[in-house]
Amino acid sequence: MKRIPEYFGCMVFNDAVMQARLSAEDYTTLKRTMEHGKSLNLSVANTVAAAMKDWAIENGATHFTHWFQPMTGITAEKHDSFIMPENGGKVIMEFSGKELIKGETDASSFPSGGLRATFEARGYTAWDATSYAFIKDGVLCIPTAFCSYGGESLDKKTPLLRSMEAINRQALRVLKLFGGDDVTSVKTTVGPEQEYFLIDKELFKQRKDLTYTGRTLFGAKPPKGQETEGHYYGVIKPRVQAFMKDLDEELWRLGVPAKTEHNEAAPSQHELAPVFETTNIAADHNQLTMEIMQKTAKKHGFVCLLHEKPFDGVNGSGKHNNWSLSTSTGVNLLNPGETPSQNAQFLLFLCSVIKAVDDYQDLLRISVASAGNDHRLGANEAPPAVVSMFLGDELTDILAALEKDEAYGAKEKELMRVGVHTLPKFPKDTTDRNRTSPFAFTGNKFEFRMLGSSASISEANTVLNTAVAEVLRQFADELENASDFERALHDLIKRVIIEHKRIIFNGNGYDDKWLEEANRRGLLNLKTTPDALARYLDKKNVDLFTTHKVYTEKEMQSRHEIFLENYCKLNGIEAATMVDMARKDILPAVSAYAHELCATITAKKQVCEQVDISYEQGTMQKISALSAAVYENVEKLDALLKSTKSIACAVECATHYKDEVLPTMRALRAAADELEGLVSSKYWPFPTYGDLLFNV
Ligand code: ADP
Ligand code: MG
């Protein structure tokens, strides 16, 4: 058995491989491309491609693919083999620099939100040299960006890369003001904690809802749910342990730094946390993690559910996006420093995040909006739909002292002045960790907790990076022109605290009183995806993204369309699945059971006319009434689904789903779930929550 350091990253064309296989000159050129986004000339590209191909073939690869992240939210690949026919019916193995750098692909089968109508169906993929190529299932995968022929981005990677450039530009300006001339770049870092469920594959196959939609659309609560909290951090079962071991090894081979594996709050729910990396790498690695999780689960007789809310009444799954800023000199800009000047710099970056989150609450909410996540946010298990920030009591007190020019702390009786006083040390792992906050400061990073488990992290980080870049731009503009830097800095920080402290909330985010309070503070409560998306194209948001060249207005319009389409599609599939299950499985099963009850009544009566038939009769009446309710709602749902076909406008269609289809789905489910509690288990047509959640 090989030791981990020996096989970690063995399937990755990483720095060590590049150094070993390229000439010093080519290696330097490639590094420059990777670090500074310089373009690679064709002759070097040819050399790199040849080296990659030789390495890939030695490691069992036969094909290559441009690996990209279209707006479907999952990754896409089209495999090409390396073979090139030669005279005499032979082949050689070829891979050119051109094939490495750019690929043509038919964009028409991927979501384009109207860009397709005005542009050619052709699209192209372009190598993202900042993310290493790797081998997966015998295929050399080249991480790429995906654009329309006209250059509009059609994927999740391109805007993320652009947002990283934006924040780099503005953060460097701010650092200059603090004398940070040695810093050549600032990158955002992310460690995404990934939650998921594992359920038995055989049981999964017996449920159409899980098969078609990844979540249960029916299902009564089992006698035991997650009440006892026995699962959280509990002992991991051997079968799950074997899966996790396999998963870790697979991920390590691909260079994904999987670090922590544990049980989560709900039965059969687990979490994987990697060590943080540069954001675009973290995004690529999170996509890979989700893919490998699903694949590895199958090998162990499981299905891995990544849906945000697979089970009603049981905690859903999210993704915690731990985010910070790191300089090329290795400084974490959200780490409070040791000296007054370092602290002033920390406070300014902290304030930039506070202002960004307050100014762009709507975009942050939109970045996590999906049909699946709508079932989770605000359901007393995940943060509410209101965006707020947790800073902890100590930091909040420090900000309050700064705001009011008051003394802070028991010892120091001096006034707090930015740039003059050292901040008191506050422990990194504050014990009053708040798990209910959507956006929490955790000592040296922020944890954005609203992301859904199945979503790409790119969306949220694109917004976060761009919003903070915009605030840093405003700060730099103001401070660069100040005659007295220290004074201006102090005033700026004070002003930001006064204007944006409404976004700070250290209490219990699950409490209904908070929603009232948030409303008084004027914070947004965008409950559903359509509510949130209605603000996407607001002028301030278009200005933000166009100013920083993250999206063009046209790209935003196309994305708006795609988000709405996705919402409608997902809900449409769920509704159709419910109709199918109710008509073909639930109602026939209930009828059969009713028939058995009636037959029993007749048989009993034959023995004795006065016999007690209260159970059979009572149950029969109840299930008949409930079947009628199921039937009525199925018919209604079916009609509503048919009527969506005539709605051309995406906004109208989404509203129709939200206001008409979803409430009918809930009514249908309520009646069916009640039936499940009454009908003999012998007749119930699919595995129950108890079977699914407690059977691993
Ligand atoms: P927990 O939140 O479970 O107590 P940690 O705080 O150690 O655990 O880390 C949670 C996640 O945050 C991990 O993925 C970790 O790598 C990541 N993380 C730690 N530091 C940073 C940072 N500076 N930038 C981004 N992510 C970070
Ligand atoms: Mg966690």
Side-chain angles (χ1 to χ4, degrees):
M1 173 93 194
K2 270 194 174 175
R3 285 166 42 236
I4 300 167
E6 284 167 32
Y7 71 82
F8 186 89
C10 66
M11 288 300 177
V12 184
F13 193 77
N14 57 23
D15 206 63
V17 182
M18 288 176 199
Q19 259 192 58
R21 290 182 176 252
L22 296 171
S23 71
E25 200 183 328
D26 290 339
Y27 170 76
T28 316
T29 314
L30 181 57
K31 279 301 265 192
R32 210 173 321 133
T33 304
M34 293 171 66
E35 273 154 25
H36 309 291
K38 297 260 161 3
S39 64
L40 207 57
N41 71 46
L42 200 57
S43 88
V44 181
N46 279 328
T47 319
V48 174
M52 257 188 203
K53 177 205 67 185
D54 291 343
W55 166 83
I57 289 171
E58 280 167 38
N59 284 285
T62 50
H63 290 67
F64 72 92
T65 182
H66 276 198
W67 185 75
F68 59 102
Q69 298 163 31
M71 295 300 294
T72 52
I74 50 175
T75 54
E77 41 194 80
K78 180 187 90 186
H79 301 170
D80 279 303
S81 72
F82 291 121
I83 64 161
M84 176 69 88
E86 283 259 279
N87 283 342
K90 298 230 176 231
V91 295
I92 50 164
M93 299 298 254
E94 277 267 301
F95 183 47
S96 70
K98 242 163 86 191
E99 288 171 305
L100 166 64
I101 293 177
K102 193 167 167 175
E104 287 233 2
T105 181
D106 179 8
S108 63
S109 16
F110 294 104
S112 77
L115 287 177
R116 199 158 57 226
T118 40
F119 291 88
E120 289 187 73
R122 276 185 305 162
Y124 65 89
T125 48
W127 184 28
D128 166 20
T130 63
S131 186
Y132 296 136
F134 56 91
I135 300 170
K136 180 169 65 75
D137 299 327
V139 179
L140 172 66
C141 299
I142 320 283
T144 51
F146 176 42
C147 296
S148 77
Y149 216 74
E152 275 88 7
S153 83
L154 292 174
D155 69 346
K156 305 209 175 220
K157 186 190 261 288
T158 310
L160 181 64
L161 290 170
R162 292 175 185 162
S163 76
M164 289 174 69
E165 279 171 34
I167 199 166
N168 173 54
R169 259 191 313 271
Q170 305 304 333
L172 284 175
R173 285 178 67 196
V174 168
L175 286 177
K176 275 234 158 55
L177 297 166
F178 288 91
D181 294 319
D182 50 336
V183 177
T184 53
S185 70
V186 173
K187 286 188 172 138
T188 53
T189 50
V190 166
E193 303 167 53
Q194 174 73 48
E195 292 180 338
Y196 60 97
F197 279 87
L198 283 182
I199 60 163
D200 192 88
K201 191 158 84 182
E202 291 312 310
L203 297 175
F204 170 91
K205 282 197 236 157
Q206 294 169 42
R207 293 203 53 135
K208 288 180 198 160
D209 47 5
L210 286 174
T211 308
Y212 295 139
T213 73
R215 79 170 178 118
T216 55
L217 300 167
F218 296 102
K221 260 205 180 124
K224 180 182 171 204
Q226 63 187 63
E227 297 86 355
T228 55
E229 301 190 332
H231 194 254
Y232 192 58
Y233 278 41
V235 176
I236 301 173
K237 293 191 180 134
R239 197 175 155 202
V240 175
Q241 186 75 61
F243 157 82
M244 287 181 175
K245 182 168 177 286
D246 222 14
L247 173 64
D248 279 340
E249 284 174 11
E250 199 64 37
L251 290 173
W252 291 337
R253 255 188 276 281
L254 288 165
V256 179
K259 176 85 175 165
T260 319
E261 304 256 22
H262 65 78
N263 286 352
E264 261 299 329
S268 295
Q269 193 185 28
H270 312 279
E271 181 187 290
L272 181 147
V275 178
F276 69 94
E277 300 174 280
T278 307
T279 305
N280 72 312
I281 313 284
D284 284 357
H285 280 170
N286 182 250
Q287 293 298 130
L288 266 180
T289 300
M290 292 194 285
E291 185 185 326
I292 305 293
M293 269 179 174
Q294 287 170 306
K295 221 182 270 168
T296 310
K298 293 228 168 84
K299 278 194 226 155
H300 289 260
F302 290 122
V303 171
C304 169
L305 301 180
L306 290 170
H307 194 283
E308 282 74 19
K309 192 71 180 175
F311 305 99
D312 214 40
V314 174
N315 275 10
S317 301
K319 200 139 35 188
H320 290 176
N321 191 79
N322 294 273
W323 179 94
S324 193
L325 289 148
S326 170
T327 67
S328 54
T329 50
V331 176
N332 175 354
L333 294 172
L334 291 178
N335 210 357
E338 304 275 339
T339 65
S341 144
Q342 285 169 351
N343 277 317
Q345 185 181 300
F346 160 73
L347 281 173
L348 189 66
F349 278 98
L350 180 79
C351 283
S352 73
V353 183
I354 295 174
K355 181 167 158 51
V357 173
D358 190 25
D359 285 347
Y360 297 101
Q361 296 162 46
D362 47 356
L363 282 180
L364 284 168
R365 171 66 185 91
I366 290 164
S367 77
V368 300
S370 68
N373 218 13
D374 279 2
H375 299 294
R376 181 177 154 267
L377 294 179
N380 282 336
E381 50 158 288
V386 179
V387 177
S388 70
M389 289 173 101
F390 169 88
L391 292 184
D393 290 340
E394 265 164 310
L395 200 48
T396 307
D397 288 350
I398 291 168
L399 296 188
L402 284 170
E403 175 196 344
K404 300 190 184 100
D405 281 320
E406 277 172 1
Y408 172 80
K411 284 174 274 138
E412 297 155 85
K413 285 295 167 222
E414 286 174 289
L415 300 185
M416 283 287 293
R417 268 205 77 79
V418 176
V420 178
H421 293 107
T422 314
L423 291 181
K425 273 240 162 297
F426 38 90
K428 229 185 212 143
D429 264 320
T430 36
T431 42
D432 61 339
R433 275 203 130 168
N434 184 318
R435 297 244 158 234
T436 66
S437 174
F439 207 102
F441 184 67
T442 53
N444 60 358
K445 62 185 186 292
F446 276 100
E447 189 168 341
F448 184 25
R449 302 201 178 110
M450 290 171 93
L451 285 77
S453 47
S454 69
S456 153
I457 64 167
S458 299
E459 222 66 70
N461 286 292
T462 300
V463 169
L464 196 49
N465 292 345
T466 315
V468 175
E470 167 57 20
V471 176
L472 291 173
R473 182 190 70 78
Q474 294 170 18
F475 286 3
D477 280 355
E478 185 169 332
L479 296 172
E480 276 165 0
N481 294 319
S483 48
D484 178 350
F485 175 68
E486 221 133 78
R487 171 98 248 155
L489 179 66
H490 183 87
D491 292 348
L492 171 61
I493 287 179
K494 209 170 130 173
R495 200 177 69 232
V496 171
I497 298 168
I498 293 169
E499 284 172 6
H500 299 284
K501 66 180 176 190
R502 64 169 189 167
I503 197 79
I504 298 165
F505 175 65
N506 293 324
N508 180 4
Y510 296 176
D511 195 339
D512 284 341
K513 288 207 195 78
W514 162 234
L515 295 185
E516 291 163 25
E517 162 77 17
N519 187 34
R520 272 194 299 278
R521 292 190 190 187
L523 300 179
L524 294 171
N525 186 2
L526 303 169
K527 291 205 184 90
T528 67
T529 298
D531 295 340
L533 283 174
R535 296 181 175 257
Y536 187 63
L537 294 172
D538 282 1
K539 182 170 183 307
K540 80 174 222 307
N541 296 335
V542 175
D543 286 348
L544 172 75
F545 284 127
T546 51
T547 303
H548 293 276
K549 300 196 164 37
V550 171
Y551 295 119
T552 61
E553 189 165 359
K554 204 178 269 160
E555 285 173 338
M556 286 184 75
Q557 284 159 352
S558 100
R559 265 158 219 258
H560 183 242
E561 193 86 12
I562 292 170
F563 294 147
L564 287 167
E565 267 172 22
N566 286 347
Y567 177 83
C568 295
K569 255 188 226 156
L570 276 173
N571 282 316
I573 294 170
E574 288 191 354
T577 305
M578 284 187 99
V579 169
D580 183 280
M581 288 172 83
R583 277 185 182 156
K584 296 192 186 145
D585 302 316
I586 298 175
L587 288 173
V590 178
S591 267
Y593 181 51
H595 185 267
E596 185 184 306
L597 290 172
C598 293
T600 309
I601 294 171
T602 313
K604 274 186 166 182
K605 290 231 172 181
Q606 270 169 3
V607 177
C608 165
E609 193 51 44
Q610 266 69 52
V611 71
D612 188 322
I613 50 160
S614 53
Y615 156 64
E616 287 84 0
Q617 200 166 32
T619 308
M620 228 281 293
Q621 274 161 353
K622 278 196 231 167
I623 64 175
S624 296
L626 286 165
S627 325
V630 167
Y631 179 64
E632 188 194 322
N633 281 300
V634 167
E635 294 305 302
K636 186 173 166 198
L637 191 55
D638 197 21
L640 284 171
L641 270 180
K642 293 201 171 99
S643 69
T644 56
K645 305 229 159 63
S646 59
I647 310 176
C649 159
V651 174
E652 253 174 64
C653 192
T655 311
H656 174 77
Y657 272 105
K658 173 172 81 92
D659 294 338
E660 307 291 336
V661 176
L662 281 165
T664 311
M665 285 166 67
R666 279 191 286 270
L668 169 56
R669 176 176 185 152
D673 287 358
E674 214 177 315
L675 273 172
E676 190 186 326
L678 292 168
V679 170
S680 154
S681 15
K682 205 175 76 193
Y683 282 88
W684 199 251
F686 29 74
T688 64
Y689 270 27
D691 300 330
L692 293 167
L693 288 167
F694 293 98
N695 236 338
V696 168

